[in-house]
Amino acid sequence: MGLYDTVIFSPVFDFETRVGNNSLHAVVVPYIKAPWVLTMLEKDSATRSNLESALTSKNPSIVWLDSHGNEVCLAETETTCAVDLTSDLSRLFSGRIVYIHACLCGKKLAPAMVSAGAKAVLAYTDTVVSEIDPSTMRLTRPFEETLLHPKRLYDHVSVGQVYDETIQIFNVWIDCLRAWDPSVRDALLHDRDCFKLFGDPSAVVQSPSQLVASAERAIATVTVTTLLVQTFLIATLRAVLRRK
Amino acid sequence: MMGMSSLEESYAALKKGLADYYRARKDVLFVVGNKVYTGPELAKEIENETDVGKLMIKIALKGTVHDMAMGWRSWAYTTQ
């Protein structure tokens, strides 16, 4: 439980949430590999109580929320909220990195999560516009590559780096589609401009090897410090003995 | 467009061009907020200037401004 646990919350209650769930299964779920342990809350299991229970019992480092939303609420169903400003945000999100793939949650909910102790939250401050491929019932490629790019959080890179990479991918698609599909280009431009990072850009979940390297550096620092202190003490002792 | 200012004329032209563009795109599905729209459905939203229509016009304006800032000719939704 803990460092390499992650929870994905993806309710399916209408056509759009079905598409979002399909894209998650095609792009994000296969991307999550060991040491990560994924708890997938989707369809009937994607309830407010199950989410709260998973967050408190699994203590995940990364939380991925995928649904409809508004300024103060991430939807559980068409009429209820899975997370809102009345939630115990401190208990649920403190110390975690969160991605909210939903409309408008960047307005109030994401800043409230950071105020409640979340390390960092990536979210959208306006209505998200995207395109569906009717043949696959998934988001089209430009939107899967941009809106789902925060999957890179699972590569142990910082939230700031993931944010910068996402903006770069938006820019590449915006340039590519300028002459080909202005409606998709404009939607991407809009989504890019309302994609925001809240909290600490340096927040990261270190990989096991990064943790070992950090520990080795810490031990080396302690060892050098100990040697210096010992040398100083011996020199002081000698000086005292010589005086006597 | 008699009696319209040049700004109003530009807005009307963009709105018409945008609606025509989406009306012609019968094969696309766009998610805007909590709902999915076909091209012709979006064209109606734009013509009626509903909240979704206004958002699509805002997005198209943003794209046009982006093109102008980049020094690119903005051709996308003009109907001349």
Side-chain angles (χ1 to χ4, degrees):
Chain A
M1 278 200 307
L3 188 58
Y4 297 118
D5 270 282
T6 182
V7 169
I8 294 181
F9 179 81
S10 171
V12 176
F13 54 85
D14 60 14
F15 185 84
E16 301 83 56
T17 47
R18 159 70 58 194
V19 168
N21 185 265
N22 288 346
S23 283
L24 268 178
H25 274 281
V27 177
V28 181
V29 172
Y31 197 82
I32 300 172
K33 298 191 166 65
W36 289 104
V37 178
L38 169 63
T39 300
M40 190 80 188
L41 297 176
E42 58 183 339
K43 299 165 191 167
D44 291 344
S45 70
T47 63
R48 182 180 181 120
S49 61
N50 282 353
L51 177 63
E52 292 183 355
S53 170
L55 293 178
T56 47
S57 64
K58 305 284 181 187
N59 194 21
S61 297
I62 297 176
V63 183
W64 186 298
L65 304 170
D66 201 299
S67 184
H68 292 309
N70 63 38
E71 292 185 14
V72 296
C73 161
L74 179 90
E76 173 193 46
T77 67
E78 280 157 342
T79 54
T80 57
C81 298
V83 183
D84 58 25
L85 292 181
T86 68
S87 303
D88 186 349
L89 298 176
S90 174
R91 183 174 62 90
L92 297 175
F93 295 101
S94 184
R96 311 197 201 289
I97 295 168
V98 185
Y99 175 50
I100 311 177
H101 177 203
C103 294
L104 287 159
C105 288
K107 281 258 185 187
K108 289 182 182 164
L109 191 58
M113 285 177 172
V114 171
S115 296
K119 279 185 184 169
V121 182
L122 293 165
Y124 299 87
T125 56
D126 202 343
T127 301
V128 179
V129 179
S130 49
E131 188 188 28
I132 295 169
D133 180 346
S135 66
T136 60
M137 282 299 153
R138 284 166 48 186
L139 296 171
T140 55
R141 195 176 152 201
F143 293 96
E144 281 196 344
E145 288 194 4
T146 51
L147 303 178
L148 304 184
H149 187 73
K151 68 182 186 292
R152 281 272 290 148
L153 290 169
Y154 297 107
D155 289 334
H156 313 287
V157 294
S158 70
V159 180
Q161 187 179 331
V162 171
Y163 177 79
D164 290 343
E165 287 176 5
T166 308
I167 296 296
Q168 281 172 19
I169 296 169
F170 268 120
N171 288 339
V172 169
W173 275 110
I174 287 163
D175 283 353
C176 282
L177 293 169
R178 184 171 64 89
W180 296 99
D181 195 332
S183 59
V184 171
R185 190 285 304 264
D186 289 350
L188 289 164
L189 190 64
H190 167 76
D191 290 347
R192 180 198 70 183
D193 289 350
C194 68
F195 179 57
K196 303 291 177 195
L197 162 59
F198 302 88
D200 179 9
S202 68
V204 63
V205 182
Q206 289 190 317
S207 68
S209 57
Q210 286 169 331
L211 280 175
V212 169
S214 297
E216 283 174 351
R217 274 197 299 276
I219 290 166
T221 307
V222 169
T223 308
V224 169
T225 309
T226 308
L227 280 171
L228 286 171
V229 169
Q230 279 176 348
T231 309
F232 173 76
L233 287 174
I234 290 167
T236 310
L237 193 60
R238 277 182 183 156
V240 170
L241 288 172
R242 254 186 240 126
R243 259 185 234 144
K244 285 187 176 177
Chain B
M1 295 192 183
M2 287 279 285
M4 287 176 122
S5 69
S6 60
L7 192 64
E8 286 169 330
E9 281 178 18
S10 299
Y11 178 81
L14 177 79
K15 188 177 137 186
K16 183 178 184 320
L18 194 62
D20 289 347
Y21 178 88
Y22 278 109
R23 191 175 295 104
R25 299 199 62 191
K26 294 183 171 59
D27 56 328
V28 302
L29 289 175
F30 270 82
V31 179
V32 185
N34 293 359
K35 210 176 157 215
V36 67
Y37 297 86
T38 62
E41 285 170 343
L42 270 181
K44 270 188 196 164
E45 299 282 334
I46 291 161
E47 282 170 342
N48 295 331
E49 292 196 37
T50 62
D51 287 346
V52 168
K54 281 180 190 164
L55 176 68
M56 297 312 289
I57 293 168
K58 186 181 93 174
I59 289 171
L61 275 170
K62 198 189 283 183
T64 305
V65 170
H66 173 80
D67 280 359
M68 291 165 87
M70 298 295 281
W72 297 330
R73 180 169 174 264
S74 183
W75 56 272
Y77 305 113
T78 49
T79 51
Q80 289 174 10

